[in-house]
Amino acid sequence: MTLKLGRSAFADDAMLMMAIVNRTPDSFFDRGATWEEDKAFDRVARVVAEGAEIVDSGGIKAAPGVEIDEAEERARVVDFVARVRESFPALVISVDTWRASVGDAVCGAGADLLNDAWGGADPELVDVAAQHDAAIVCTHTGGVTPRTRPYRIEYDDVVRAAIDDTVAYAERALAAGVDRASIVIDPAHDFGKNTFHSLEITRRLDEMVATGWPMLVSLSNKDFVGETLDLPVGERLIGTLASTALCALAGARIYRVHQVVETRQTVDMVNSIAGRRPPRRAIRGIQ
Amino acid sequence: MTRVVLVPGVLALLPEYAGLEDPVAELRAASLAAVGWLGGEVTVLADAQGARVGAYLLAATSRSGDDPSYLVVGNGSAKRTEKAPGHFDERAEEFDRRLGESLRAGRPAVDVALARELWASTDAIVELAELDDDLGEGQVDYDDAPHGVQYWVVRWNSDS
């Protein structure tokens, strides 16, 4: 089905790259590389050149730490969104926030998509999305408080729980007036989930795709990859791409990534294997 | 003589959460040794998750003898470090030090409100104290927080 992300629309089967450009001094992978606004802006230009259709910026790292209040969060992202919007009119701008007030401010500045990593912690976010005709990502987190780590969390069936929660959130967004084509679900690997849960979610992703809601996956360099292979943060690209390939085979539509080029190649390769995409240029043996 | 053992309710001890490497190998060895010292029939004091850890340890040991035996499943704060499940709380270390001392002395004493704030699993320890508030001096086989959560393995020989 068509994906309508704010100002932009994408065809039925398009698979999109959402490049992470954080506005934090301390996110786990980029560790402040784009904290300075000019550096962040340069990265936006770079990922756009690499083919990213979406840029996702957040002002608060997912891990626990110093509290960042609404004013500080707005200061980190709103002006940046305005600057990016002006320079890249066709780019989908996503903001990673759970707060309705921040969502409202960034949509006012030109954001197209509200990426709520914390499963609807602020129930008014859906209203903000509807008011601005913006898109929204509905995640499963097992109901944890924002910026907390999972501790001895268990599920009878983590996939069932992820489906139930994300679909409920999606339907709440629909009821609030968000366009059906603007609602995306995301199992949110590692959020409220241990490595076994994240592996199972990946293994059974087809069940979640079968709900019919377009899916986003955020796998990039996460701890479930690190624990599976016993590799530190900087060495998880291969494990991430292996996970990406399975998610692509299952039909995930949007990939939230640090590495655009590598992920695009992985997803394109899988789509061609799956018969959804012709090879780019074939002549060998058929000339 | 009543035999009492305290172990932490660590899910990573369970077979369904086994990795190729064991991140709690020392804890596992200490827990199995202590549980193996209990008598043939053991009463478990634990919440639902802790009971599964208790059941695993009991099934993994062959025990005999008639001494009344209790297996208590509980642990200290999960907020010991920046990377701990509950992140860092500066009160965690002192809380665990006091609780650990009371366990060693055989007079378990839990600040229940603080335990909740610090993500410590102490309900079964409170239950133990209600059953017997003077267990005699404990033998501490394990006392560490390798993953941001305070674990103890303690044995008591109680005369009551």
Side-chain angles (χ1 to χ4, degrees):
Chain A
M1 90 171 221
T2 302
L3 258 181
K4 181 180 163 302
L5 305 177
R7 293 154 186 75
S8 303
F10 299 91
D12 233 16
D13 50 0
M15 290 196 176
L16 310 176
M17 295 296 122
M18 172 190 271
I20 299 165
V21 181
N22 280 325
R23 301 294 300 122
T24 56
D26 52 4
S27 288
F28 85 98
F29 185 77
D30 45 50
R31 286 192 256 216
T34 52
W35 174 229
E36 221 196 77
E37 211 192 86
D38 286 347
K39 291 216 164 85
F41 190 79
D42 289 346
R43 176 154 166 83
V44 172
R46 174 150 158 236
V47 298
V48 167
E50 288 175 349
E53 294 90 350
I54 310 168
V55 156
D56 182 57
S57 292
I60 307 180
K61 71 173 182 178
V66 173
E67 210 218 303
I68 307 298
D69 67 15
E70 291 179 25
E72 172 62 20
E73 191 184 353
R74 275 200 298 272
R76 292 179 176 194
V77 292
V78 175
D79 287 349
F80 181 68
V81 167
R83 186 178 169 191
V84 172
R85 170 52 62 220
E86 206 195 328
S87 301
F88 300 96
L91 178 63
V92 175
I93 299 175
S94 168
V95 173
D96 188 336
T97 185
W98 75 86
R99 291 174 166 145
S101 65
V102 175
D104 188 44
V106 297
C107 285
D112 301 289
L113 171 60
L114 295 173
N115 182 12
D116 177 7
W118 292 102
D122 186 343
E124 295 182 6
L125 191 66
V126 293
D127 301 311
V128 167
Q131 277 149 28
H132 291 279
D133 198 23
I136 189 164
V137 179
C138 305
T139 51
H140 166 263
T141 60
V144 300
T145 305
R147 303 188 70 196
T148 59
R149 296 190 172 107
Y151 180 50
R152 299 181 180 171
I153 294 181
E154 296 190 287
Y155 301 90
D156 287 338
D157 181 338
V158 63
V159 174
R160 181 81 257 146
I163 290 173
D164 288 350
D165 285 7
T166 56
V167 170
Y169 190 174
E171 287 173 351
R172 201 162 58 77
L174 196 61
V178 180
D179 193 323
R180 181 178 286 275
S182 298
I183 299 171
V184 176
I185 61 173
D186 172 8
H189 288 68
D190 286 355
F191 278 67
K193 301 174 205 49
N194 61 41
T195 289
F196 296 88
H197 297 140
S198 292
L199 291 171
E200 186 173 356
I201 289 270
T202 311
R203 183 163 60 248
R204 294 168 55 195
L205 203 79
D206 57 330
E207 294 176 39
M208 238 176 126
V209 171
T211 62
W213 295 99
M215 176 174 300
L216 178 151
V217 288
S218 183
L219 313 166
S220 198
N221 302 298
K222 282 195 171 173
D223 283 343
F224 80 95
V225 175
E227 288 203 325
T228 297
L229 300 176
D230 194 18
L231 290 171
V233 164
E235 296 177 40
R236 298 174 181 174
L237 177 58
I238 295 172
T240 299
L241 295 178
S243 310
T244 303
L246 291 180
C247 292
L249 196 60
R253 301 281 305 274
I254 307 176
Y255 298 80
R256 183 175 173 275
V257 300
H258 300 102
Q259 288 114 337
V260 175
V261 170
E262 294 88 337
T263 309
R264 171 54 74 194
Q265 287 184 19
T266 300
V267 170
D268 284 351
M269 191 72 209
V270 170
N271 279 332
S272 294
I273 291 166
R276 303 173 196 141
R277 170 190 182 272
R280 181 160 295 285
R281 193 168 182 276
I283 187 68
R284 182 180 62 86
I286 52 176
Q287 64 269 57
Chain B
M1 180 179 75
T2 303
R3 299 182 183 220
V4 183
V5 164
L6 170 70
V7 296
V10 176
L11 295 184
L13 290 171
L14 297 174
E16 61 254 44
Y17 291 118
L20 293 174
E21 287 167 24
D22 185 359
V24 284
E26 282 179 27
L27 173 67
R28 184 185 307 274
S31 301
L32 288 169
V35 171
W37 168 77
L38 293 170
E41 271 184 45
V42 180
T43 303
V44 177
L45 305 183
D47 63 20
Q49 256 183 357
R52 283 163 48 218
V53 175
Y56 157 72
L57 291 169
L58 289 170
T61 51
S62 53
R63 292 155 287 98
S64 57
D66 295 328
D67 285 347
S69 295
Y70 290 82
L71 177 56
V72 182
V73 186
N75 52 261
S77 171
K79 295 190 172 187
R80 301 273 313 196
T81 61
E82 297 273 334
K83 298 286 192 183
H87 194 50
F88 175 70
D89 189 313
E90 62 196 1
R91 301 170 298 172
E93 203 178 313
E94 177 62 11
F95 170 88
D96 289 333
R97 194 191 59 74
R98 285 190 184 205
L99 178 50
E101 244 173 48
S102 78
L103 292 170
R104 194 181 294 270
R107 299 173 151 272
V110 180
D111 178 340
V112 171
L114 191 50
R116 194 170 308 120
E117 283 181 55
L118 295 177
W119 293 15
S121 304
T122 54
D123 287 355
I125 298 175
V126 170
E127 215 184 320
L128 172 67
E130 283 162 6
L131 282 180
D132 186 351
D133 64 358
D134 189 356
L135 297 154
E137 205 181 316
Q139 174 184 307
V140 180
D141 294 337
Y142 187 97
D143 175 354
D144 201 2
H147 303 292
V149 183
Q150 173 64 44
Y151 306 145
W152 296 281
V153 176
V154 187
R155 315 183 195 199
W156 296 273
N157 258 338
S158 177
D159 293 324
S160 47

